[in-house]
Amino acid sequence: MRIKNSKSEKLIFGPAVAVDVLIFDVNNGKLNALLIRISKGPYKNKWALPGGLVRTDETLDEAAKRVLWEKAGIRGIYLEQLYSFGEVKRDVRGRIISISYFALVDSAKFQPRTTEYYSDIRWKEAKKLPPMAFDHGKIIAFGIERLRNKIEYTNIAYALLPKEFTLTEMQKIYEIILGKKLDKRNFRKKLKMLNILEPEKKMRHGLKSRPAELYRFRKRSLVFTK
Amino acid sequence: MRIKNSKSEKLIFGPAVAVDVLIFDVNNGKLNALLIRISKGPYKNKWALPGGLVRTDETLDEAAKRVLWEKAGIRGIYLEQLYSFGEVKRDVRGRIISISYFALVDSAKFQPRTTEYYSDIRWKEAKKLPPMAFDHGKIIAFGIERLRNKIEYTNIAYALLPKEFTLTEMQKIYEIILGKKLDKRNFRKKLKMLNILEPEKKMRHGLKSRPAELYRFRKRSLVFTK
DNA sequence: CCAAAAGTGTTTCCAATACACCCATGC
DNA sequence: GCATGGGTGTATTGGAAACACTTTTGG
């Protein structure tokens, strides 16, 4: 890539910059990533993260938000920067640096829809990925690790849950992300100690078992608990 | 910035990419960052991190290593990616995205020297910075936080210490980074449990007090201890 | 013999873990 | 009345924190 500084009009060389957004949800007992299928070019039929080039007049965070909205039809969800990938040959079509982002969404709140950009966009299980384009498999592995760590020392699970939920629903989220069963009594004791939830005065009825009390997060924004 | 794709020869617009390297040492009881003074332009007389544009034929890590060597005269030290900063106006001269890196060096091993790039380069206390150019103050704050966290769950202190050191020297590093006094017995008990050190069969003599046993890290590469 | 830093164990507290039974509802 | 998931308490263990004195050397 050649870069031309618009003020000095002096040509310099350098890489281009894209953002790629890794969107997770938890659904059907699985951790899933939202992927698009590439329909042409050297990566035809491979899967990839939604992404796009960063514009001159937007910040990295804004670019990520824009990609999330324009290319996946989602907004208003949890989003943080993940890592920047800059292998020279990561995209065979040219030198592009990827600033990756990491987003979480409540599975009930969002059904993937195609956009004008991508005709095939769907949830894929994050731990059983189809053939991926670029280094996007690596980005997803990185994101899984980030999530696994962060759920242990923050309230970030709020971003995967609806406003109201039962403790068992919350525990399932933890079990899926951590990849192991947790003890129900210890899980609840810990939550009580952390004091990040408050009970609604409502129950979830309608299932074929005892109704469960509903809770909500005191703060639906990132809080560190250690 | 305008970017021209060298294959398609189609002009597109986009930001330029730089790496900035935050180098820490601990010396004289302080955590210090290696800074350069800018001698001309709109940031004249402000201080900044050593940095440079990323070339088309090098990875981000390679660019960081090159900057470290060419601009600060250091190589072979601990280096990891920190965060990417992309505010639109972070550099008033043009749109430049900064991929920041984080490096640690043993203070005894390296004395700053000027290079052909920077005539004034020196250690400044990281918690009492002079007026900084760009958003480099923010990068340093981010790096301090990273170090403070990482020293608690890794053996990263090895990168700030020489091959051989006493337990008291190591404890001082922890105290400076964490910003608080630690209990000598508890510190040593914890180290014994973690089993990341091994005793040399040597003592440090020559001081005006009882000689101290020398230790070294079992592995001088990053190990997670939790 | 005095100053200076090295070295060393025990007790207390609290959070993490392990573990099993009764309860409320739908069918 | 039975299947299903909801809800609850106690005992054990292990790491974190608090805490003070003796040892070895140089001067």
Side-chain angles (χ1 to χ4, degrees):
Chain A
M1 303 282 178
R2 277 196 286 163
I3 295 186
K4 192 165 180 176
N5 186 300
S6 54
K7 285 187 180 166
S8 68
E9 291 298 316
K10 197 175 61 179
L11 265 181
I12 53 177
F13 288 83
V17 185
V19 293
D20 289 306
V21 184
L22 168 56
I23 309 157
F24 283 129
D25 85 348
V26 173
N27 200 5
N28 296 126
K30 311 278 188 200
L31 176 66
N32 306 296
L34 190 61
L35 303 181
I36 57 105
R37 178 140 56 163
I38 295 173
S39 56
K40 58 189 177 189
Y43 296 105
K44 183 170 171 170
N45 288 331
K46 297 233 189 284
W47 294 81
L49 302 174
L53 292 174
V54 175
R55 296 180 181 158
T56 303
D57 61 350
E58 65 185 358
T59 67
L60 297 174
D61 288 1
E62 285 163 0
K65 282 201 186 85
R66 179 175 56 76
V67 163
L68 196 58
W69 175 241
E70 288 181 359
K71 306 218 168 156
I74 316 181
R75 57 181 158 187
I77 65 171
Y78 182 84
L79 186 66
E80 69 173 42
Q81 190 184 300
L82 188 55
Y83 197 75
S84 299
F85 295 84
E87 293 301 308
V88 173
K89 299 286 187 192
R90 54 178 297 282
D91 185 331
V92 299
R93 300 165 305 177
R95 180 69 202 283
I96 301 182
I97 286 166
S98 164
I99 318 265
S100 64
Y101 276 75
F102 166 95
L104 300 177
V105 64
D106 164 19
S107 63
K109 212 178 199 168
F110 168 75
Q111 299 305 322
R113 62 177 173 78
T114 58
T115 64
E116 59 177 311
Y117 294 94
Y118 302 130
S119 59
D120 197 354
I121 181 166
R122 56 180 78 182
W123 293 109
K124 292 282 183 182
E125 188 180 347
K127 288 166 188 171
K128 273 189 192 171
L129 293 173
M132 300 293 296
F134 320 110
D135 50 5
H136 287 187
K138 204 161 81 177
I139 297 179
I140 294 171
F142 205 98
I144 292 172
E145 204 51 33
R146 172 80 58 96
L147 180 57
R148 202 197 295 274
N149 289 324
K150 212 148 184 172
I151 204 170
E152 299 264 34
Y153 65 88
T154 70
N155 68 344
I156 201 170
Y158 82 84
L160 293 164
L161 284 161
K163 287 271 185 303
E164 300 181 338
F165 51 88
T166 68
L167 295 183
T168 299
E169 288 163 357
M170 181 167 174
Q171 185 176 336
K172 288 230 174 80
I173 299 271
Y174 273 74
E175 289 178 342
I176 290 160
I177 290 169
L178 296 175
K180 64 180 182 194
K181 286 275 171 223
L182 298 175
D183 179 86
K184 185 160 52 163
R185 283 169 290 188
N186 293 337
F187 184 76
R188 288 165 186 231
K189 199 189 317 169
K190 184 81 190 298
L191 280 178
K192 182 162 287 181
M193 203 186 55
L194 293 179
N195 194 33
I196 55 176
L197 300 185
E198 45 192 349
E200 303 276 346
K201 305 205 183 300
K202 291 190 274 180
M203 307 290 260
R204 170 153 301 162
H205 291 276
L207 284 78
K208 52 189 166 180
S209 68
R210 178 173 172 177
E213 192 157 10
L214 290 169
Y215 289 80
R216 60 184 153 84
F217 278 87
R218 282 184 200 286
K219 297 206 176 167
R220 291 186 68 88
S221 60
L222 197 67
V223 174
F224 290 77
T225 55
K226 267 183 196 151
Chain B
M1 303 283 179
R2 275 197 287 165
I3 295 186
K4 191 164 181 177
N5 185 301
S6 54
K7 287 186 178 166
S8 68
E9 291 297 316
K10 197 175 61 178
L11 264 180
I12 52 177
F13 289 82
V17 185
V19 293
D20 290 305
V21 184
L22 168 56
I23 309 156
F24 283 128
D25 86 348
V26 173
N27 200 5
N28 296 126
K30 311 278 187 197
L31 177 67
N32 307 297
L34 190 61
L35 304 181
I36 57 104
R37 179 140 55 163
I38 296 175
S39 57
K40 58 189 176 185
Y43 296 104
K44 182 170 172 169
N45 288 331
K46 298 234 189 285
W47 293 81
L49 302 174
L53 291 174
V54 176
R55 295 179 183 158
T56 304
D57 61 349
E58 66 185 357
T59 67
L60 297 174
D61 289 1
E62 285 164 0
K65 282 201 188 83
R66 179 176 54 76
V67 163
L68 196 58
W69 175 241
E70 288 181 359
K71 307 217 167 158
I74 316 181
R75 57 182 158 185
I77 66 171
Y78 182 84
L79 185 66
E80 69 172 43
Q81 191 186 299
L82 189 54
Y83 197 76
S84 297
F85 294 85
E87 292 302 308
V88 174
K89 300 286 186 192
R90 56 178 294 285
D91 186 331
V92 301
R93 301 164 305 179
R95 180 68 201 283
I96 301 182
I97 286 166
S98 163
I99 318 266
S100 63
Y101 276 76
F102 165 96
L104 299 177
V105 65
D106 164 19
S107 63
K109 211 176 195 168
F110 168 74
Q111 300 306 321
R113 62 176 174 79
T114 58
T115 65
E116 58 177 311
Y117 295 93
Y118 302 129
S119 59
D120 196 354
I121 183 167
R122 54 179 80 180
W123 294 108
K124 293 283 184 179
E125 187 180 347
K127 288 167 186 170
K128 272 191 194 171
L129 294 172
M132 300 294 296
F134 321 111
D135 49 5
H136 287 187
K138 205 160 82 179
I139 297 179
I140 294 171
F142 205 98
I144 292 174
E145 203 51 32
R146 173 80 56 98
L147 180 57
R148 200 198 296 273
N149 289 324
K150 213 147 185 171
I151 204 171
E152 298 264 36
Y153 65 87
T154 70
N155 67 345
I156 201 170
Y158 83 84
L160 292 164
L161 284 161
K163 288 269 186 301
E164 301 181 337
F165 50 87
T166 68
L167 295 183
T168 300
E169 288 163 357
M170 180 167 174
Q171 185 175 336
K172 289 231 175 79
I173 300 270
Y174 273 75
E175 290 178 340
I176 290 160
I177 289 169
L178 296 174
K180 64 181 182 194
K181 285 274 170 225
L182 298 176
D183 179 85
K184 183 160 54 162
R185 282 169 289 187
N186 292 337
F187 184 77
R188 288 163 185 233
K189 200 186 318 163
K190 183 82 189 297
L191 281 177
K192 181 161 285 181
M193 203 185 57
L194 292 178
N195 194 33
I196 55 176
L197 300 186
E198 44 191 351
E200 302 277 347
K201 305 207 184 300
K202 290 189 273 180
M203 307 290 261
R204 171 152 301 162
H205 290 276
L207 285 78
K208 51 188 166 182
S209 66
R210 179 174 171 175
E213 192 158 11
L214 290 169
Y215 289 80
R216 60 184 155 85
F217 278 87
R218 284 185 196 284
K219 297 205 175 166
R220 290 185 69 88
S221 60
L222 198 66
V223 174
F224 290 77
T225 55
K226 266 184 195 152

